[in-house]
Amino acid sequence: NMKLVNKDKKIDLYYYHTFFQKLRGLMFKKDIDFAIYFKTKGIHTFFMKENIDLCVTDKNNKIIYLEENLAKNKIRYFKKAKYIYELPKGSISNYKLGESLIITD
């Protein structure tokens, strides 16, 4: 199981690669305490039960976009995105544009 590292905090991280995993994402989930990521350029938050934090990285895993507390029923698209990370709200307050995400096993 991978972990996403941010300063002194680690959060479980899961890679979603199948069509249905990506389609479902975090829809209908409550009390989200883990992060997911997938290769895509866009996401939606339809059918979400709670708000999430969003982190978008380029092909070099550098952060190109951050959004805290993204509400349901929104659409986001990023032309230069390689991966999109969906995290529990309140997870990205220390993240900075241009930094690389740190992922460990």
Side-chain angles (χ1 to χ4, degrees):
N1 186 27
M2 293 182 294
K3 303 266 188 203
L4 187 56
V5 180
N6 180 14
K7 308 291 185 237
D8 58 346
K9 290 196 308 187
K10 289 183 181 180
I11 186 169
D12 288 329
L13 177 66
Y14 301 95
Y15 180 64
Y16 282 14
H17 56 89
T18 70
F19 173 78
F20 289 108
Q21 283 177 320
K22 290 194 260 185
L23 177 67
R24 178 122 190 219
L26 296 175
M27 289 191 305
F28 310 111
K29 299 244 191 291
K30 287 184 184 174
D31 303 320
I32 299 166
D33 63 353
F34 61 94
I36 63 171
Y37 77 109
F38 35 87
K39 191 185 292 189
T40 188
K41 294 190 178 297
I43 61 123
H44 69 81
T45 57
F46 301 120
F47 308 107
M48 297 288 284
K49 295 288 186 192
E50 55 188 60
N51 294 0
I52 58 171
D53 283 358
L54 192 65
C55 179
V56 181
T57 61
D58 65 12
K59 64 182 182 196
N60 300 314
N61 210 30
K62 299 264 191 231
I63 298 170
I64 60 172
Y65 181 82
L66 295 166
E67 185 167 348
E68 293 183 84
N69 206 25
L70 179 61
K72 60 184 170 184
N73 299 321
K74 304 291 183 195
I75 297 172
R76 297 290 183 267
Y77 178 81
F78 310 93
K79 187 176 180 181
K80 296 184 178 179
K82 177 75 171 192
Y83 293 104
I84 294 182
Y85 295 76
E86 296 182 1
L87 303 99
K89 67 181 174 190
S91 298
I92 64 168
S93 57
N94 293 327
Y95 286 27
K96 305 259 185 298
L97 292 177
E99 285 184 345
S100 293
L101 285 184
I102 301 169
I103 301 170
T104 63
D105 290 332

